[in-house]
């Protein structure tokens, strides 16, 4: 009986990694599309009438906001399921839940129906957001891991762009088609993902964790060794994975609660808090306030309503193009520097947008200052796309041990959901109360992130996922002290640092002990992980 077709049987190395990340990108495309589609739906007269939302602005916003409650619940569910049944099956589960939600949204006849549908779609999205970046990180090479996840977020903003322009095009139509068709369109990527993901390889790290060693080696050989299990890089990575899994198993299986509060040798609570707060910091850098207020900036510049809508669409396209930059820089420059320069440039842009939109200044030359404010609005979204958009999604999936990586990704989505809900809640009244000064507040948050990242967030680029266990297992949570601690350990151990106390961990089984071929029966020692 022949084996079912899988891409790893036909493609190897960077070609296979690229295919995996394109599949992951399809999920992220759906995420972006689903985020963007409701902005056009909410202004459809037929939608407002059918849902009974005329004059009920709070409820109109509530229909959008319940989606984030769904993503929070779905992320926690998906993270737990992903560590139990694997990454691929969890993507299928998340896709099917989101398909049900999309069908119900498309056919909704009242506001309760719509809100329930949005929650279901959010639960499916939460599954996908928790597990897809994990799958991507676990299959990508450590030297290009950031590049591929950054590439996925180009597709994420492409989803926002498609949603915006589809809504814009449908604004010339009338009736239910104007809003039902854009909602139904999200079924296209979801159905393709639910079916197509079954032809992609499972994470070799998850397979090794659950004891499916032959399959893990098969896939790892395709990813790193051009199909050759004897390739030194395949052997080194497999042995590192097994060493890490043995260390992790000694610590037991943590719950979500213990991940947050129970200190252990692997410092998992530290990693959880870093993940959650990085996502919240991302929202505090101001992307939400720019998204809400950009059309007003364009209107204040003297542009018509239709021209302002076109400028918003062009801003989204510029945003998408700028997300290509980190594909080439995030691994070369590192995560920390990317966040540093992004925070500085974003803060400057928001500062200038705030000053230029101050009524007393705008009244001096509304067209000139309005155009300048428009330029810096474009500048902010561009710099955000180059920096803070992708790093808060790359970082969390890099820093967790294999046994909890999916649940770690879920905690990251929890932080994202909290940050989004917070900004959605405070931005409208803030703009209504202090107007232009809102930009100054968020500019301040950008500058505040710099010392926080410097002090608390170690560099992760260029290290394998197993080597990062060493980086995050130091006693000190302050980066500069942790680096001194690691340097001392390295000197003490002759230039290398093991993933744990070597006397308390058995050596990992070599790849050859699992292969069936007679010529592969020799055992080799487990290499120490280099930091």
């Amino acid at each position: 009986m022949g084996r079912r077709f899988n891409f790893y049987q036909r493609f190897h190395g960077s070609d296979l990694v690229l295919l995996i990340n394109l599949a992951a990108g399809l999920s992220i495309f759906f995420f972006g599309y689903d985020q963007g589609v409701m902005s056009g739906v909410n202004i459809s007269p037929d939608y407002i009438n059918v849902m009974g939302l005329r004059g009920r602005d709070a409820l109109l916003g509530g229909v959008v906001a319940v989606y984030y409650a769904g993503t929070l619940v779905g992320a926690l569910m998906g993270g737990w399921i992903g560590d139990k049944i694997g990454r691929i099956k969890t993507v299928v589960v998340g896709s099917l839940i989101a398909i049900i939600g999309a069908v119900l949204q498309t056919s909704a006849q009242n506001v309760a129906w719509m809100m329930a549908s949005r929650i279901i779609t959010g639960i499916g999205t939460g599954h996908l957001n928790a597990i897809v970046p994990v799958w991507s990180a676990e299959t990508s090479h450590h030297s290009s891991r950031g590049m591929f996840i950054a590439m996925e977020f180009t597709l994420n903003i492409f989803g926002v762009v498609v949603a915006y322009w589809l809504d814009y095009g449908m604004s010339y139509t009338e009736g239910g088609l104007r809003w039902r068709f854009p909602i139904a369109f999200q079924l296209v990527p979801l159905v393709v993902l639910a079916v197509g993901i079954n032809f992609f390889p499972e994470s070799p790290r998850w397979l090794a964790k659950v004891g499916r060693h032959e399959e893990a080696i098969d896939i790892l050989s395709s990813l790193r060794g051009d199909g050759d299990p004897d390739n030194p890089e395949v052997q080194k990575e497999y042995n590192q994975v097994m060493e890490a899994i043995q260390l992790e198993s000694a610590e037991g299986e943590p719950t979500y609660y213990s991940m947050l509060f129970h200190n252990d040798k692997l410092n998992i609570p530290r990693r959880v808090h870093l993940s959650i707060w990085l996502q919240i910091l991302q929202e505090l850098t101001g992307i939400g306030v720019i998204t809400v207020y950009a059309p007003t900036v364009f209107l204040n510049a003297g542009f018509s309503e239709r021209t302002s809508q076109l400028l918003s669409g062009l801003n989204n396209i510029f945003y998408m193009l700028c997300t290509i930059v980190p594909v080439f820089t995030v691994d070369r420059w590192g995560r920390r520097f990317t966040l540093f320069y992004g925070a500085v440039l974003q803060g400057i842009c928001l500062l200038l947008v705030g000053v230029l939109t101050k009524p007393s200044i705008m009244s001096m030359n509304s067209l000139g200052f309005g155009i300048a404010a428009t330029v810096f609005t474009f500048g902010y979204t561009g710099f955000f796309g180059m920096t803070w958009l992708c790093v808060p999604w790359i970082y969390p999936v890099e820093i967790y041990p294999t046994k909890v990586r999916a649940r770690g990704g879920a905690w990251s989505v929890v932080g994202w959901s909290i940050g989004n809900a917070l900004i959605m809640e405070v931005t409208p009244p803030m703009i209504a109360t202090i107007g232009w000064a809102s930009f100054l507040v968020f500019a301040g948050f950008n500058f505040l992130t710099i010392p926080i990242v410097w002090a608390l967030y170690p560099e992760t680029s260029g290290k394998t996922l197993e080597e990062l266990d060493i980086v995050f297992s130091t006693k000190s949570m302050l980066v500069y002290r942790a680096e001194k601690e690691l340097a001392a350990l390295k000197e003490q151990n002759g230039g290398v640092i093991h993933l744990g106390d070597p006397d308390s961990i058995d050596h990992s089984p070599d790849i050859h002990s699992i292969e069936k071929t007679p010529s592969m029966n020799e055992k080799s020692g487990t290499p120490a992980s280099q930091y």
Side-chain angles (χ1 to χ4, degrees), residues 121-152:
T121 304
I123 291 172
T125 305
H127 276 70
L128 296 175
N129 287 357
I131 207 65
V132 166
V134 170
W135 178 55
S136 172
E138 290 183 333
T139 52
S140 297
H141 193 270
H142 69 270
S143 64
S144 57
R145 189 171 56 233
M147 177 188 77
F148 281 113
I149 298 179
M151 182 184 73
E152 292 165 20

Side-chain angles (χ1 to χ4, degrees), residues 481-526:
R481 286 185 181 173
E483 287 175 348
K484 290 180 181 178
E485 187 180 331
L486 288 168
L489 283 170
K490 194 171 183 179
E491 184 177 349
Q492 180 183 328
N493 288 281
V496 295
I497 307 174
H498 291 270
L499 289 173
D501 180 0
D503 296 327
S504 66
I505 304 173
D506 294 328
H507 285 297
S508 312
D510 182 77
I511 186 171
H512 295 82
S513 65
I514 296 167
E515 287 291 334
K516 297 178 181 177
T517 310
S519 61
M520 297 180 184
N521 286 332
E522 270 183 58
K523 289 201 173 189
S524 64
T526 302

Side-chain angles (χ1 to χ4, degrees), residues 4-26:
R4 188 184 68 183
F5 172 79
N6 196 293
F7 281 112
Y8 82 85
Q9 298 161 4
R10 301 286 181 88
F11 296 89
H12 297 145
S14 59
D15 291 340
L16 178 57
V17 175
L18 179 61
L19 279 173
I20 288 171
N21 282 278
L22 286 174
L26 186 62

Side-chain angles (χ1 to χ4, degrees), residues 55-383:
R56 303 169 75 183
D57 291 344
L59 187 57
L60 182 69
V63 173
V64 177
V66 292
Y67 170 80
Y68 297 104
T71 61
L72 191 152
V73 173
L76 293 173
M77 290 171 61
W80 184 83
I81 292 170
D83 282 330
K84 298 296 181 184
I85 68 173
R87 312 329 189 194
I88 298 296
K89 288 181 180 177
T90 305
V91 172
V92 174
V93 171
S95 298
L96 292 176
I97 294 172
I99 286 170
I100 293 169
V103 170
L104 290 172
Q105 281 186 81
T106 304
S107 56
Q109 299 297 325
N110 55 62
V111 71
W113 184 338
M114 191 66 180
M115 291 182 80
S117 305
R118 291 286 292 166
I119 292 172
I120 293 170
T121 304
I123 291 172
T125 305
H127 276 70
L128 296 175
N129 287 357
I131 207 65
V132 166
V134 170
W135 178 55
S136 172
E138 290 183 333
T139 52
S140 297
H141 193 270
H142 69 270
S143 64
S144 57
R145 189 171 56 233
M147 177 188 77
F148 281 113
I149 298 179
M151 182 184 73
E152 292 165 20
F153 277 88
T154 298
L155 294 174
N156 172 255
I157 305 305
F158 180 58
V160 174
V161 169
V162 170
Y164 184 89
W165 287 104
L166 185 58
D167 280 335
Y168 182 81
M170 295 303 293
S171 69
Y172 290 94
T173 65
E174 299 296 334
L177 181 67
R178 173 173 174 176
W179 63 274
R180 293 188 192 273
F181 178 76
I183 291 176
F185 186 79
Q186 65 192 302
L187 287 166
V188 175
L190 284 171
V191 170
V192 173
L193 183 65
V195 175
I197 199 68
N198 294 286
F199 301 103
F200 284 85
E202 181 55 87
S203 161
R205 285 172 166 81
W206 181 81
L207 291 169
K209 170 180 170 278
V210 297
R212 291 161 61 179
H213 298 289
E214 288 185 33
E215 196 177 346
I217 292 165
D218 240 7
I219 293 170
L220 198 56
S221 299
S222 293
L223 287 167
R224 307 285 184 262
D226 200 25
D228 176 17
D230 286 326
N231 185 290
E233 190 168 349
V234 175
Q235 293 189 38
K236 178 184 176 183
E237 186 164 339
Y238 174 74
N239 287 330
Q240 285 183 338
V241 169
M242 291 306 301
E243 186 182 357
I245 288 171
Q246 287 186 355
L247 176 64
E248 293 164 17
S249 64
E251 290 289 317
E253 194 76 14
T255 63
Y256 275 121
Y257 179 84
S258 64
M259 285 178 69
L260 198 59
F261 296 112
H262 183 259
N263 285 321
D264 57 15
K265 289 181 181 178
L266 296 172
N267 281 340
I268 290 176
R270 174 190 175 193
R271 308 183 200 208
V272 170
H273 287 286
L274 288 177
S275 300
I276 292 172
W277 281 102
L278 189 58
Q279 290 282 8
I280 293 173
L281 288 174
Q282 182 196 50
E283 295 306 316
L284 290 177
T285 60
I287 189 62
V289 73
I290 282 291
T291 302
V292 169
Y293 206 59
T296 305
V297 172
F298 302 147
L299 284 170
N300 289 343
F303 299 112
S304 67
E305 184 175 351
R306 184 64 72 176
T307 303
S308 296
Q309 289 176 338
L310 286 170
L311 283 171
S312 294
L314 291 173
N315 188 33
N316 284 338
I317 293 174
F318 178 67
Y319 185 14
M320 180 190 71
L321 293 174
C322 288
T323 63
I324 298 172
V325 173
V327 172
F328 302 100
T329 62
V330 74
D331 285 316
R332 183 175 301 175
W333 295 351
R335 319 304 187 230
R336 282 160 60 87
F337 179 74
T338 299
L339 294 175
F340 290 153
Y341 91 81
V344 170
L345 295 174
Q346 289 164 196
I348 291 170
C349 286
L350 287 176
L351 197 63
L352 290 169
V353 170
V355 171
L356 290 166
T357 55
K358 185 178 181 181
S360 60
I361 293 176
M362 184 71 78
S363 62
M364 298 178 190
N365 184 354
S366 60
L367 180 61
F369 290 133
I371 290 174
T374 299
V375 169
F376 287 111
T377 300
F378 272 65
Y380 171 85
T381 52
F383 292 131

